[in-house]
Amino acid sequence: MELTHINEQGRARMVDVSQKQETFREAVACGCVYMKKETLEKIREGTIKKGDVLSVAQVAGIMGAKKTSDIIPMCHPIMISGCDISFSLDFEKNRVEITATAKTTGQTGIEMEALCAVSLAALTIYDMCKAIDREMVVSDVMLMKKSGGKSGTFERNT
């Protein structure tokens, strides 16, 4: 498979998408923050001193999606038509599960925006809870599904 982000001199470049068709594109990414049971309880109860952890993480994740091209060097700035993040508290595995869905109609995919949304939401959870739990682990960030564009649909087999 040929790498599309490398020019003839072997240096990084931004892929030219000017000749690609605009299509509806959607991507879903997920990730987890593992933590102590007590930390998860405090998130559920809303007793973390910095505030409502999941509300702040929601906003941070959406902001992360919007700023993706600012932090990933070869990523195209794209018009995001929608971004949503959901959280699930898993008390069996002591973790917060994060799912981000991002949508656009354009010439290039929106996978990186969904992945950035999950990552920033997870890092925000870590930041807001680190005073009581420095052993948290951000993990399992992955693309679950993407649709649209020339490469079609991808769906992770879990």
Side-chain angles (χ1 to χ4, degrees), residues 53-63 83-87 117 121 124:
V53 172
L54 300 183
S55 291
V56 176
Q58 173 102 14
V59 174
I62 292 168
M63 289 175 65
C83 183
D84 194 17
I85 301 174
S86 63
F87 302 94
T124 299

Side-chain angles (χ1 to χ4, degrees), residues 55-96:
S55 291
V56 176
Q58 173 102 14
V59 174
I62 292 168
M63 289 175 65
K66 291 167 56 175
K67 293 291 191 175
T68 300
S69 66
D70 290 341
I71 57 176
I72 299 187
M74 300 303 157
C75 196
H76 294 85
I78 62 174
M79 179 66 71
I80 299 171
S81 57
C83 183
D84 194 17
I85 301 174
S86 63
F87 302 94
S88 176
L89 305 182
D90 180 348
F91 284 92
E92 283 186 27
K93 296 182 180 174
N94 293 325
R95 67 185 183 180
V96 177

Side-chain angles (χ1 to χ4, degrees), residues 42-43 46-56 128-129:
K42 287 181 180 290
I43 291 172
T47 57
I48 299 290
K49 289 186 180 182
K50 284 190 173 184
D52 183 342
V53 172
L54 300 183
S55 291
V56 176
M128 293 187 73
C129 300

Side-chain angles (χ1 to χ4, degrees), residues 32-44 47-50 53 90-91 93-96 122-138:
C32 298
V33 182
Y34 292 85
M35 61 192 63
K36 295 176 185 172
K37 185 177 189 122
E38 300 80 28
T39 308
L40 194 56
E41 283 288 348
K42 287 181 180 290
I43 291 172
R44 179 173 66 178
T47 57
I48 299 290
K49 289 186 180 182
K50 284 190 173 184
V53 172
D90 180 348
F91 284 92
K93 296 182 180 174
N94 293 325
R95 67 185 183 180
V96 177
L123 291 172
T124 299
I125 291 169
Y126 186 97
D127 178 57
M128 293 187 73
C129 300
K130 70 181 184 247
I132 61 168
D133 188 354
R134 294 210 185 262
E135 293 182 9
M136 289 177 288
V137 174
V138 174

Side-chain angles (χ1 to χ4, degrees), residues 107-128:
Q107 295 169 299
T108 191
I110 194 156
E111 300 91 16
M112 296 312 299
E113 287 72 11
L115 288 161
C116 277
V118 166
S119 299
L120 266 288
L123 291 172
T124 299
I125 291 169
Y126 186 97
D127 178 57
M128 293 187 73

